[in-house]
């Protein structure tokens, strides 16, 4: 079983975001969770490694979970603490959420600074399953054996 989590666009399954390579780094002050994020679309594949997510937050999953299935006005957004990853959400008025995921690693690479984005359409009824899978990915191994 793979520990990766992939969300595919409901309108074009070639467009996706994948969360992988989860690693929990214990720290006496505040444990830090890192993972890699890959966005893909026709002609695009970009990966940001070591995205930081502080364990006590689960903020990206909570952001998606708070998106109202009945819709909302305007754009809602979330950005990680280190600004490596962000997501902007719009509601189309017909039961779909438009999630634009952007990678913009703050660490400069040999290639310099870069940003890559993909837009995924998520049917409102699929939101809860994605949130559950994302929470499981983020907390994997932290509560093993508990029910």
């Amino acid at each position: 079983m793979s520990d990766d989590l992939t969300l595919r666009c409901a309108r074009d399954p070639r467009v996706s975001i994948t969360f992988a390579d989860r690693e929990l780094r214990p720290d006496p002050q505040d444990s830090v969770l890192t993972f890699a994020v890959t966005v893909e679309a026709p002609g695009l594949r970009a990966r940001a490694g070591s995205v930081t997510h502080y364990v006590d937050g689960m903020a990206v999953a909570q952001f998606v979970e708070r998106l109202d299935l009945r819709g909302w006005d305007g754009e809602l957004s979330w950005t990680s603490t280190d600004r490596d990853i962000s997501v902007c959400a719009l509601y189309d008025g017909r039961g779909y959420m438009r999630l634009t995921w952007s990678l913009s690693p703050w660490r400069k690479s040999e290639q310099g600074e870069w940003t890559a984005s993909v837009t995924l359409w998520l049917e409102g009824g699929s939101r809860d399953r994605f949130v559950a899978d994302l929470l499981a990915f983020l907390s994997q191994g932290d509560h093993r054996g508990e029910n």
Side-chain angles (χ1 to χ4, degrees):
M1 179 177 135
S2 173
D3 293 332
D4 297 355
L5 169 62
T6 299
L7 175 64
R8 296 194 180 282
C9 178
R11 296 184 179 176
D12 185 348
R14 299 174 299 169
V15 179
S16 65
I17 184 168
T18 299
F19 298 84
D21 301 335
R22 179 194 181 284
E23 180 183 354
L24 180 62
R25 294 189 216 152
D27 182 289
Q29 301 296 321
D30 191 14
S31 295
V32 175
L33 175 67
T34 62
F35 50 89
V37 180
T38 303
V39 292
E40 293 186 70
L44 171 72
R45 185 174 196 280
R47 178 180 168 97
S50 297
V51 171
T52 302
H53 196 292
Y54 294 94
V55 176
D56 62 354
M58 301 299 170
V60 66
Q62 291 171 349
F63 169 77
V64 176
E65 184 174 42
R66 285 192 308 265
L67 296 175
D68 191 336
L69 295 175
R70 296 167 295 173
W72 62 90
D73 292 325
E75 184 176 274
L76 301 174
S77 62
W78 173 86
T79 302
S80 68
T81 305
D82 288 336
R83 298 172 313 282
D84 287 323
I85 181 174
S86 63
V87 59
C88 293
L90 286 170
Y91 183 71
D92 77 345
R94 294 179 296 247
Y96 281 85
M97 301 172 188
R98 187 182 84 185
L99 303 176
T100 300
W101 297 88
S102 298
L103 303 181
S104 186
W106 62 272
R107 298 165 201 86
K108 291 186 180 180
S109 69
E110 293 175 7
Q111 296 78 26
E113 295 180 41
W114 59 270
T115 299
S117 299
V118 295
T119 297
L120 289 88
W121 290 90
L122 179 65
E123 193 269 321
S126 301
R127 185 210 55 189
D128 290 345
R129 178 65 185 175
F130 173 62
V131 168
D133 290 346
L134 186 54
L135 285 169
F137 171 82
L138 292 171
S139 64
Q140 175 192 20
D142 295 343
H143 308 288
R144 239 180 219 154
E146 294 180 19
N147 284 330

